[in-house]
Every structure is written in structure tokens, then in C-alpha cells.
Amino acid sequence: MLNFKRINNITGWVLFAVATLIYVITAEDTASFWDPGEFIAVSYKLSVPHPPGAPFFLLVYRMFSFLALGDTLEIAYWMNVGSAVFSGFTILFLFWTITLFGQRLFGIKPNEESKGQTIALMGAGIVGSLCYAFSDSFWFSAVEAEVYSMSSFFTAIVIWAVLKWDVIKDPKEENRWLIFIAYLVGLSIGVHLLNLVALPALALIYYFKKTDKATFKGSVIAFLLGGVALVIINNLIIPGLPSVAGSMEIFFVNSLGLPFGSGIVVFAIAFFAALIYAFRYSIKKEKATLNTILLSLTFILIGYGSYALIVIRANQDPVINENAPKDIISYVSYLKREQYGYRPLLHGQYFTAKLVDQEEGAPIYMKGEDKYEIVDYNLVNTYDPTKTTILPRIYSTQENHKRIYRQKLGLREGQEPTFGDNLYFMFSHQLGQMYFRYFMWNFSGRESDFGDAPWIGITDAFGDKFPDYIKENKGHNQYYMLPLILGLIGFFFQYRKDSKSFYVNLMLFLMMGVVLVLYLNSPPVEPRERDYIYVGSFYAFAIWIGMGVLAIAHGIAKTNKNLATASIIATLITLPVAGLMGVTNWDDHDRTGRYFSVDAARNFLASCAPNSILFTGGDNDTFPLWYVQEVEGFRTDVRVIVLSYFDTDWYVEQMTRPVDESEALPFSLSKKNFQKGTNDVLYVTGNPEENSAISARAYLSLLKSEDKRLNMQTGGKSVINMVPSRNLILEVDSSFVYDDEIVPPQFKSLFTTQMNLQVKGQYLTKGNLMLIDLITTNNWDRPIYFNNTSLATIGLNLDDHVVMEGLTYRLLPIRKPNFIREELVNTDLAYKNFIEEFSFRALDNPDAYYDEEYRRFVSNHRSALNSIVIGLLEEDQTDKARELLNYGLEVMPDVAVPYDLSSGQSVPLFFEVGEEDKALEIIDKVAKKSLDMIEFYDRENRDYDREILISIEMVRYFVPLLQERGYQERADEYKLRLEKILGPQDWGDEMIRR
């Protein structure tokens, strides 16, 4: 007889080693785009990340940084390795979970497994865990320093631990395992809250073990009690205990006049006294269950204690200190993620509902000199009750969201949505687009890595359906639905053979998938694909894939009457399914040899003059910049400001302190002028048709002195300030024109002594107010720059006063003449930056995988290069323009990152510098790709998205350009293909604008 326990342990650890090795081999060499840049930076210096924080993650990944042995360029890689290790452990515990479920299915008692059963269980565990290991979404998180790999590890070990507890008979040993599980849950709070969603499903295991005869009613009650445990931890323990402590703190300080911290001390004493009393009571009265609950609560709190790191480090004022949760009041706001707003769940408005009333709700406190002061009130919005609904799904009142709702629902402007529309959006978009599509990506196939790419099935594998551009995309993954089919076989097999375990796994699958979708209540558009959120659901389906192997072994054994042989055959039949997933997914999950996430961040900083200030549009723009500054120490003299954070008082206050090599920013307004609840929004009251204006300095002076002439009454109790004119005039010292450091020689003719910091809309946000203050008070001492997203999103019209210097736009006391259509470019400096200062490591490597985010940043660089070339040509510097264009092809060639819109826009520039062959090469490649994709969309009857509309315009742009250059045959070919699909076109020659 085979020793099941030994084989089970050895096989599990072998799978851990295999998975971890694969993840390490394919791990990114540096910080990936999006959140990893932030997490690496805050882990390295134990700073404060975005709410609700991940303190235990920071502590553990800080230790992984030690493996870099002081080499800052290796820190990101070793933290990525940390994710690889935790992902490997996830596969280990998934394997053991599958074998435990398999034992339950066979009805085997521990150490009584037959040879055939042992082989069957090993095969099921190997295939199921490897299919998950190679799944698209899980592998994505396994090779980058993000919280999801560590969160998956905690989900996996908690599920495994509950199943291990289930087979234990000794009550004393049972309680030890329950306490261990509670401690794991507590630790997981310091990583991510997703795995708490598994608790209701795991409560079923407890119920099935503790009752002799399970009933449907009892199962429902157990599931609901598990939900109660989830609510207790997620709502009462995590933010609830600090909230109670905060209320006591305000009472003791404000009402009783005691010192700061007295309320927290009293709360802590009372809470622990009550806990100790409850412990003594449970021991004295021999209440074993109560004692176990109290111990479990204690260990959850011990794990949750990692959050002390957030408050401790926030009070040390690290460079990255998001929300600055220094005291109990700000800490509670941090935990509740209040900065992200509110999404209605059970009842709320349709997107067409009008706001009929707005009242002041609970007060918002802030720590003052000697007490907690009310600085604002939470607003309670009341919408037209005839336009509200239960389970609101189409609720967002943002204008772009309204437009998308109407587009998806087929509603005309002014047409009211119905509850049917609400449900249609829930099923088609939230459950269909934002979950089921992701599920099928992982177990059926994925068309490409392009935005909103659909899933593909068996029928998509036959014929020549896809154009080359899709087939050659490394994200084009075809599994022929084999993992899905195998999982469905296991789904029905487990239901028939072990219904209790089936319902446990079904609840895991639904809670971490469908229920999570409904809870998150996603808006109609997200900044990126969110499939990694639902890996817990995919984990549960991988268990069914393992059960599918057992089903096949069981079926074969009915024929040959030998379970051992049948199990070997079943494993050999199904193992290639995991192999197919691994081979197919390798090229788009191998992140080695790419560095442009970091190089692009370096290039933004390299575009800035020494001791400058750089505005970025949002946190995702900024995270890579934080990484290169905080970890690699590159250009720490540049003060990076996140424009979206600039609307908060805590962030503005941080800007008033020096950081690294960057001096404090100058502001004329004091803290009381920008604290929360003060000058959050300032409405423009002047007539937009009039040319009235006010001095920017005079306006800031009135605000600083709290001049009542700026007051205006709102619908509530509060009084806010207004802006008397949208034209805020900044006087510029005329002597600055002689300073070449401020106004470069080539722009002196454009110098202006008056700049209009004009408000774009009907109001000024706090962030834009502080920008006006910074520009005014800085008085050109430090260079101020904007990246492209911040320049597009600020509430001020500054386009006529900025000069492009590479990737960034520098604010200068100049005014662009109306007759100049293109943006102003400091060609000498921008050329120098692009050639000498910018990095483009491995962008010429066709073997490296560059997904959509990388391609977007490459396109931005190509676009910036075009702007510089246009500027050079306008200055008759044709040789430098030619050199720069060719340099761009050298460092950003088509073989690694295919030509795009920016490449198409460079075609006339290549013609102008005499590089006709290269211009034609770009036209041929872009036109072929565009026409192939247009024909494909037409053939499949798909709605045209932004990419297809751009493709159409590219072809319409190329045809007259080719005719003008004498390439009539090419022009006719492209014209004929396009008109064959779309009919006769208006072939204008207007250049496509960026």
C-alpha cells in the first residue's frame, strides 16, 4: 500500500517548487505599471500606501527587499520574487485542498487510502492546481509586487486549514486549529480584505461537521451566520472598534476637557477589561465554546494589530503618507476608504435622478490645538424618489458614465431607464462583461490583450477567423474550452458523489465571484481590466477541475475494474490541459526583459529642470515616479504632485515640508485656508460673457484674510467662498524677460507681463486654487511642469502658457499667438532630452512582452517625438528632425511594439525629411492592420470601438497623402478595401490630430 500522507506531502512540495520556479523565471525585473510601483516604494521605506492600507504586506515585502543586498536596482525584482513565493504556496495549499475534497468524495478516512485512490487523488491535485497555476489572472498577479498574490495565499491556507480541522476528532485539537484559522484571518486583514468573503462558505463545513443530519434550513442558517462573522470582522472589528474609540476620544477631550488620547486609553482599558472578564467567566463556568470564540477574537485582533504600523509610520511623516492617518479620527476615515466615495447597494438613484435636497449629516472632526474641531459635515443627498430603485446598478451621475449607460442600454437622450434596464446592465455588464468574460478568459480562451477583449471558444479555433494582428498578439490564448469542460465534469461529479462538499465549493465560487460583483457595483467603465479581483472564484473552479480528473478516473474504472490504472490514464489524459494552458500563456505572462515602466517614469523626471515641480494627473500616473525616486533615488530634487490629491488638506500640508533634495513648496494661504471643509469648492459668480477680471494675488489675499465679501450662502448651513471672475490675472515682473533661466531666448518675443489663469468651468476646486497659489507665490523661482494628463485635467486654461521640453510641459510667462496651431516646443532642449537623457531599454526586443499599458506609454513617447520633429521642421532644422525620427525607429521599432496612431501621424514627417521608404513602410503596416481589423469587425458584426474608429481615420488619412506623393496604386488599393466595407468616403486630407 502506498503511504498517502508521505506522497501527498512530497507531491505538494514538488508542485510548490515547480510553480514558484516558473513564477520566478517569468517575474518582472523591475516595478510594473500601476500599483506595484507604489507598493514597492512604500514597502521599501515602510511608508503609508493608499487606503485601506496593507501593513502586514509591507512588513513582509520589506524583508524580501533585504535579498537585494543593498542594490536598489534589484529591490523591485526581489519583491516580485516575494509574490512568486506566495503564489507558489497558494498552489501548494490548493493541491492539498483538492486531495482533501477528494478524500471526502471517496468517503476515505485518513490513512486508509487504497493504491488506486492515492493515485487518483494525486492526479486530481496535480491537474487542478497546475491549471490554476497557469491561469491567466492568477499568473498575472504572481509575478508582480502587488497584494493579490499574498491575499490568494491567505485564502488558500484558510480554506485548507478549515478542511484539515474538519477531519480532526479531538475537541482540544479542533479548538487549536480554529484559533490558528482566526489568527490567519487577522493577519490577512493587513494584506487585503478579499479573502474574508470566503467565511460564509467555510461556515458550512463547521455546520456539516457539528450536526448529525444536515438540513437545507440548517445550511442556510449556517451560511448566514458565516455572513454575520464576515460583517463582524469587516464592519465591527476593522473600522468599528476604532470608530467607537474615536467617539470616546471626542467625548473625553471635547466634553470633559481631558488631554488628547485620554478617550482611547479609557476605551482600551474598558475593552480589555471586558475581554478578560469574559475569559474568566468562560473558564469559571466551563463554557468551552465561548472560550474558543473569545480566543479566536483575540487572535484576530493580534493579527489585526499589524495596522499599528500605519499610524506609527504616518506620524513619522514619510515621503509617501497617503491620507496621513496620524490620529484616531483620520485613521477611521483611512480604513473606511472615504476618499473613494459611496456606491449604493440595496437602494439608490438611477443616473437620471435629480438631486432634490442636500442636508448636512454627521460632523467631520479634525484635531485642533486643544480639542477636536468640526471642520465639515457629511452631505446627505436626497434624489427624486420617483427615480430610485432597489438594487441600483445604473447609479453614477458622472456625465461620461451617463453617456455610456445610454449607449449600452440603447436609451435616447431624455429617455428614462426602467428597472428592466437596471437588471439588464447588471447581467450584461457587471456579471457578463466584468465577471463572466474574465471567467472564460481563464478557462476557455482570450482573444487578445486589447482593451475589452472577448473570450473565445472551440469554434473560434477553426478556420481563419482572426486577422494577423490578433493572431500574432501574445495575449491571444486558445484553450479549446478544455479547462472549462473538465471543470464542469468535476462540478456535476462532486454534486452527485459528495453534495456537502459541492455546496461548500459552490458557495466559495459564488461568494468570491458573483456576490463580489454585486457588492462592488462597478461603474460602467474602469481604468483597466479587473479580472485579478475574482481569482478566489477561479480558485474554486480549479477545485472542480481536480474533481473532473476523479470523475474521468471513476468512469474508466467502471470499464477496466482497476482504479489505479484508470487513475493513471485519467491523469495522462487531463495533464496536457494544464500543459496547454502553461505553454499558451507563457509568452504573455513572461515579464522578463522589459523595463519601460521604470524608464518611462525616468523619462518624465529627466524632462524636468533641476529643483522643479511636476504635476501628474492621478495616482496611477505617479506610482512609477514614486518608485524611481524613493527606491532608485533618481531625481529626488523634483517634487512630484498628484493633481487629484491636491484637493485634500493632508496632501497640501505635506507639500509645505521639504522632502529629500526638494525644498518645501511656497504657498501664501495658511492651513486654515485649505483645511478640510474650507475652500473645497469655490463657485464662479461672474458673468462668463463679460471680460471682467481680478488680480490673482489680490484674490488670494482676500481669501487669506477671510474677507466676507467672498462669502456666498449655500442650500445648507455652511457658507462658502466664491470666485468673482473666471479671469484671474497674474502680473509678471517685466525684468524676467532678461533671465534666460526663466524665458529661453527663442521665446522672448512671446513674453507677457500678464497671464490669465482662467477658470475652465463653473467652479474652482481646492486643488486648482492651491495651484493658482503655487504659481503666484512661486514667482518663477522653481520651474513648474505638467505631464499630458494633468495638463488636460486641470481646471485652468494654461495651454497658451506652456512649452514642451520632452515629455513634460513647462509653465512660462509667455503667450502662444493665435496663429500657431501646434504646441510650443523648446526644440533644442527637447531634442537633447530625447537623445541623451531618455532611456528605452529593451524596447527593440521582439521577445519581450509589451501589453497594452506599455504600448500606450510607447505611443506617448512616439507622439512627443512627433511634436519635437514638427518644431524642428518649423525652425528649418531638417537634419536634426531626420536624425530624431530615425532614432525613434531605432529605439522603438515595430518589431517589439507595433506601429500605432502616433506612428501614422509621423508619416508626413518622414516624407518631409526625405525618408520615403520608411514612410511607406509605416503606411503599409498600419494600413494593413487597420483594414484587416475593420474587415474583421464588419465580418463579426461588432460595434465599432475607439480603436476601429481610429483605424478608419488612419486609412482615410493615408489615401490622399499617398495620392499627393504619387503612389496612386497603393492609394487605390486602400481606398477600394475601405469603401468595400463602408461605402463611398469623403477623402479629405486633414491630418489626424492627437
Side-chain angles (χ1 to χ4, degrees):
M1 178 181 291
L2 298 176
N3 188 321
F4 173 81
K5 182 176 180 180
R6 180 183 300 169
I7 294 174
N8 190 47
N9 288 338
I10 292 174
T11 306
W13 284 108
V14 168
L15 285 171
F16 162 79
V18 169
T20 304
L21 178 63
I22 289 173
Y23 297 146
V24 169
I25 291 173
T26 57
E28 192 141 7
D29 295 310
T30 186
S32 305
F33 276 119
W34 299 86
D35 291 7
E38 177 205 21
F39 278 120
I40 293 169
V42 296
S43 297
Y44 178 55
K45 293 192 174 180
L46 293 183
S47 304
V48 181
H50 65 270
F56 189 65
F57 172 92
L58 304 187
L59 290 168
V60 173
Y61 276 64
R62 169 62 175 154
M63 290 190 287
F64 274 101
S65 73
F66 297 157
L67 298 175
L69 303 177
D71 186 350
T72 56
L73 298 180
E74 292 292 320
I75 287 170
Y77 171 74
W78 283 107
M79 289 194 187
N80 293 338
V81 168
S83 291
V85 172
F86 281 111
S87 298
F89 274 116
T90 302
I91 301 307
L92 168 69
F93 287 109
L94 173 58
F95 171 80
W96 285 339
T97 296
I98 292 173
T99 57
L100 282 168
F101 269 123
Q103 287 176 310
R104 293 163 65 99
L105 186 144
F106 279 132
I108 309 170
K109 294 181 179 180
N111 303 315
E112 294 183 6
E113 300 84 0
S114 68
K115 177 181 178 181
Q117 290 170 336
T118 299
I119 296 173
L121 292 174
M122 293 305 102
I126 291 170
V127 175
S129 58
L130 285 181
C131 281
Y132 185 68
F134 297 138
S135 64
D136 182 38
S137 299
F138 183 71
W139 197 345
F140 176 86
S141 296
V143 290
E144 64 177 18
E146 243 272 34
V147 296
Y148 293 102
S149 56
M150 195 173 184
S151 176
S152 293
F153 159 73
F154 274 108
T155 300
I157 192 173
V158 166
I159 293 172
W160 168 80
V162 172
L163 290 173
K164 286 288 289 184
W165 166 86
D166 185 47
V167 299
I168 294 172
K169 302 301 181 184
D170 181 3
K172 185 177 180 180
E173 196 68 20
E174 275 186 349
N175 289 345
R176 286 178 178 173
W177 275 85
L178 286 176
I179 293 166
F180 171 64
I181 292 166
Y183 181 58
L184 291 174
V185 170
L187 287 178
S188 74
I189 294 171
V191 180
H192 201 281
L193 301 180
L194 276 180
N195 53 339
L196 296 180
V197 181
L199 292 180
L202 298 180
L204 288 175
I205 297 177
Y206 186 94
Y207 170 71
F208 291 146
K209 180 175 182 177
K210 294 299 182 179
T211 186
D212 294 330
K213 187 175 181 181
T215 64
F216 176 76
K217 179 181 177 181
S219 301
V220 171
I221 293 174
F223 180 79
L224 293 177
L225 288 175
V228 171
L230 169 61
V231 171
I232 290 174
I233 296 172
N234 188 58
N235 295 79
L236 299 184
I237 292 180
I238 299 175
L241 291 179
S243 295
V244 174
S247 297
M248 291 184 66
E249 170 74 357
I250 291 171
F251 172 75
F252 275 82
V253 174
N254 287 15
S255 300
L256 302 183
L258 295 176
F260 287 119
S262 56
I264 299 173
V265 171
V266 172
F267 169 79
I269 292 173
F271 177 79
F272 286 111
L275 191 61
I276 292 170
Y277 173 81
F279 266 118
R280 295 188 63 180
Y281 174 82
S282 68
I283 295 171
K284 184 177 180 180
K285 299 295 183 178
E286 297 183 350
K287 303 283 187 179
T289 302
L290 175 61
N291 187 263
T292 301
I293 292 173
L294 292 171
L295 278 171
S296 298
L297 172 63
T298 301
F299 274 85
I300 288 174
L301 292 174
I302 291 172
Y304 177 42
S306 65
Y307 261 94
L309 173 73
I310 296 295
V311 179
I312 292 170
R313 290 298 295 153
N315 279 280
Q316 303 304 309
D317 291 320
V319 176
I320 303 173
N321 190 7
E322 299 189 54
N323 286 60
K326 297 182 178 183
D327 53 60
I328 190 66
I329 307 302
S330 55
Y331 174 66
V332 171
S333 174
Y334 180 83
L335 283 179
K336 291 183 176 180
R337 298 164 54 94
E338 290 179 353
Q339 74 178 55
Y340 296 117
Y342 165 73
R343 294 179 181 179
L345 293 180
L346 299 180
H347 187 269
Q349 73 283 356
Y350 287 126
F351 67 93
T352 56
K354 301 295 183 185
L355 185 65
V356 296
D357 192 18
Q358 196 172 57
E359 298 178 352
E360 291 178 345
I364 298 174
Y365 288 91
M366 182 173 290
K367 189 175 182 181
E369 292 295 328
D370 55 0
K371 67 176 183 177
Y372 293 97
E373 300 173 351
I374 297 177
V375 295
D376 202 0
Y377 292 88
N378 288 311
L379 293 177
V380 179
N381 295 328
T382 302
Y383 291 91
D384 180 353
T386 64
K387 296 180 181 179
T388 60
T389 181
I390 58 170
L391 200 65
R393 303 288 105 181
I394 46 176
Y395 58 88
S396 176
T397 55
Q398 293 183 27
E399 288 303 321
N400 65 319
H401 289 176
K402 290 181 180 180
R403 177 182 54 79
I404 298 172
Y405 284 140
R406 292 193 181 281
Q407 178 183 337
K408 288 183 175 292
L409 299 173
L411 298 176
R412 302 183 306 276
E413 190 66 37
Q415 184 178 356
E416 293 294 328
T418 65
F419 186 64
D421 293 323
N422 186 66
L423 292 180
Y424 176 79
F425 182 80
M426 180 181 75
F427 285 107
S428 66
H429 182 77
Q430 292 184 328
L431 291 173
Q433 177 79 355
M434 300 300 291
Y435 173 73
F436 182 72
R437 180 172 62 101
Y438 296 151
F439 171 79
M440 296 299 281
W441 274 7
N442 283 272
F443 302 110
S444 179
R446 181 176 180 176
E447 185 180 274
S448 67
D449 64 6
F450 308 145
D452 294 325
W455 61 274
I456 54 178
I458 296 177
T459 57
D460 298 310
F462 301 105
D464 195 22
K465 174 180 178 178
F466 299 108
D468 292 341
Y469 187 58
I470 288 180
K471 289 189 292 187
E472 293 168 1
N473 180 267
K474 293 181 179 180
H476 181 67
N477 298 324
Q478 174 61 273
Y479 316 136
Y480 307 98
M481 302 186 83
L482 293 176
L484 176 67
I485 294 170
L486 188 56
L488 290 176
I489 292 172
F491 176 94
F492 291 107
F493 183 69
Q494 188 184 40
Y495 172 73
R496 189 162 57 89
K497 292 291 186 179
D498 182 13
S499 60
K500 291 181 179 179
S501 295
F502 168 80
Y503 284 117
V504 170
N505 201 43
L506 178 64
M507 289 302 104
L508 283 173
F509 178 75
L510 294 177
M511 286 298 298
M512 294 189 285
V514 172
V515 174
L516 191 57
V517 171
L518 299 179
Y519 174 76
L520 292 175
N521 200 5
S522 297
V525 62
E526 294 275 13
R528 56 175 165 161
E529 301 285 13
R530 297 293 192 183
D531 54 297
Y532 51 83
I533 295 175
Y534 306 111
V535 290
S537 183
F538 308 153
Y539 183 95
F541 191 79
I543 294 173
W544 281 323
I545 290 179
M547 297 300 102
V549 178
L550 293 183
I552 294 173
H554 180 77
I556 296 173
K558 285 185 175 180
T559 302
N560 68 357
K561 308 301 181 182
N562 187 321
L563 182 59
T565 302
S567 299
I568 293 173
I569 294 172
T571 303
L572 292 176
I573 290 173
T574 56
L575 189 58
V577 175
L580 171 66
M581 295 178 68
V583 172
T584 304
N585 285 346
W586 187 286
D587 58 354
D588 57 309
H589 290 82
D590 181 6
R591 301 198 192 184
T592 58
R594 66 181 195 182
Y595 305 90
F596 201 60
S597 52
V598 170
D599 285 352
R602 284 174 163 264
N603 296 346
F604 276 108
L605 294 171
S607 295
C608 300
N611 195 34
S612 57
I613 301 164
L614 171 62
F615 281 89
T616 57
D619 48 13
N620 288 311
D621 284 348
T622 314
F623 291 158
L625 277 69
W626 281 353
Y627 164 76
V628 296
Q629 286 189 317
E630 290 299 289
V631 179
E632 297 189 359
F634 180 76
R635 291 301 305 272
T636 56
D637 61 302
V638 178
R639 178 64 67 95
V640 176
I641 302 178
V642 188
L643 188 63
S644 59
Y645 289 5
F646 219 36
D647 285 326
T648 63
D649 54 350
W650 58 266
Y651 192 66
V652 175
E653 187 178 5
Q654 290 176 15
M655 295 301 107
T656 63
R657 297 192 294 268
V659 168
D660 296 325
E661 299 177 73
S662 172
E663 301 169 3
L665 301 189
F667 295 107
S668 66
L669 297 177
S670 61
K671 182 178 180 180
K672 68 177 181 178
N673 301 124
F674 62 75
Q675 73 178 12
K676 185 177 179 63
T678 302
N679 295 323
D680 291 335
V681 177
L682 306 99
Y683 288 95
V684 178
T685 58
N687 188 340
E689 302 299 325
E690 297 177 358
N691 291 322
S692 61
I694 184 174
S695 164
R697 286 190 173 88
Y699 177 67
L700 292 170
S701 179
L702 291 172
L703 277 178
K704 185 175 178 64
S705 63
E706 300 180 352
D707 194 301
K708 295 187 182 301
R709 287 175 293 177
L710 296 180
N711 292 168
M712 63 181 293
Q713 189 73 37
T714 64
K717 301 176 184 177
S718 61
V719 175
I720 65 173
N721 289 316
M722 55 87 173
V723 187
S725 172
R726 69 175 62 257
N727 299 305
L728 300 172
I729 305 302
L730 175 63
E731 301 289 339
V732 181
D733 189 337
S734 58
S735 66
F736 287 151
V737 73
Y738 303 110
D739 189 340
D740 290 349
E741 292 296 319
I742 296 177
V743 184
Q746 63 268 41
F747 298 112
K748 293 193 183 297
S749 62
L750 304 180
F751 178 79
T752 180
T753 57
Q754 286 191 338
M755 291 176 57
N756 185 2
L757 307 179
Q758 187 183 62
V759 182
K760 286 181 180 178
Q762 300 304 314
Y763 59 89
L764 195 67
T765 65
K766 178 182 292 179
N768 288 310
L769 170 65
M770 300 313 298
L771 173 58
I772 292 172
D773 188 7
L774 175 62
I775 293 172
T776 303
T777 310
N778 179 59
N779 200 30
W780 311 104
D781 285 341
R782 296 177 67 175
I784 296 177
Y785 290 87
F786 302 89
N787 73 347
N788 50 357
T789 53
S790 63
L791 189 62
T793 53
I794 56 175
L796 306 174
N797 280 319
L798 298 179
D799 290 358
D800 289 344
H801 305 294
V802 295
V803 173
M804 190 256 214
E805 294 186 357
L807 285 176
T808 55
Y809 298 84
R810 182 172 180 174
L811 185 69
L812 292 176
I814 61 173
R815 178 177 289 111
K816 184 176 72 173
N818 292 331
F819 61 84
I820 297 180
R821 297 176 60 191
E822 303 297 337
E823 57 195 15
L824 296 175
V825 181
N826 186 333
T827 53
D828 292 339
L829 183 55
Y831 174 88
K832 179 179 180 296
N833 284 336
F834 217 97
I835 295 289
E836 299 179 12
E837 302 296 333
F838 287 4
S839 297
F840 299 93
R841 287 177 294 172
L843 274 186
D844 58 350
N845 179 11
D847 295 327
Y849 171 58
Y850 295 107
D851 59 23
E852 191 170 45
E853 197 65 29
Y854 282 80
R855 297 194 295 268
R856 183 173 69 84
F857 271 82
V858 171
S859 183
N860 289 343
H861 280 64
R862 286 170 172 167
S863 178
L865 184 145
N866 289 345
S867 296
I868 301 169
V869 170
I870 291 171
L872 289 169
L873 291 174
E874 288 177 348
E875 296 173 4
D876 295 325
Q877 298 191 64
T878 305
D879 290 340
K880 291 181 73 173
R882 182 187 306 110
E883 180 185 353
L884 187 58
L885 282 169
N886 286 322
Y887 180 73
L889 290 184
E890 177 187 337
V891 297
M892 298 178 287
D894 172 72
V895 293
V897 181
Y899 292 139
D900 50 34
L901 171 63
S902 298
S903 304
Q905 291 169 334
S906 71
V907 167
L909 304 179
F910 276 100
F911 277 133
E912 194 163 342
V913 300
E915 295 283 3
E916 297 220 353
D917 289 343
K918 293 174 182 176
L920 293 173
E921 178 197 359
I922 295 173
I923 288 177
D924 288 343
K925 289 189 175 182
V926 173
K928 180 184 183 306
K929 176 192 77 174
S930 299
L931 288 164
D932 285 352
M933 292 295 288
I934 295 167
E935 289 170 348
F936 172 65
Y937 269 56
D938 182 69
R939 206 165 50 239
E940 296 294 310
N941 198 28
R942 289 191 187 178
D943 293 334
Y944 284 2
D945 54 23
R946 180 177 178 274
E947 292 301 317
I948 290 301
L949 294 176
I950 289 175
S951 297
I952 292 170
E953 292 305 310
M954 289 301 300
V955 179
R956 294 181 69 248
Y957 169 53
F958 286 149
V959 168
L961 187 60
L962 287 167
Q963 291 173 334
E964 178 186 334
R965 292 284 172 171
Y967 297 98
Q968 189 63 46
E969 186 177 344
R970 268 191 175 92
D972 290 343
E973 177 189 347
Y974 298 147
K975 180 179 179 181
L976 180 63
R977 284 186 65 183
L978 187 65
E979 291 190 334
K980 185 177 180 181
I981 305 169
L982 303 180
Q985 298 290 299
D986 179 17
W987 297 98
D989 59 357
E990 179 66 20
M991 180 176 179
I992 300 171
R993 299 294 173 188
R994 275 167 280 134

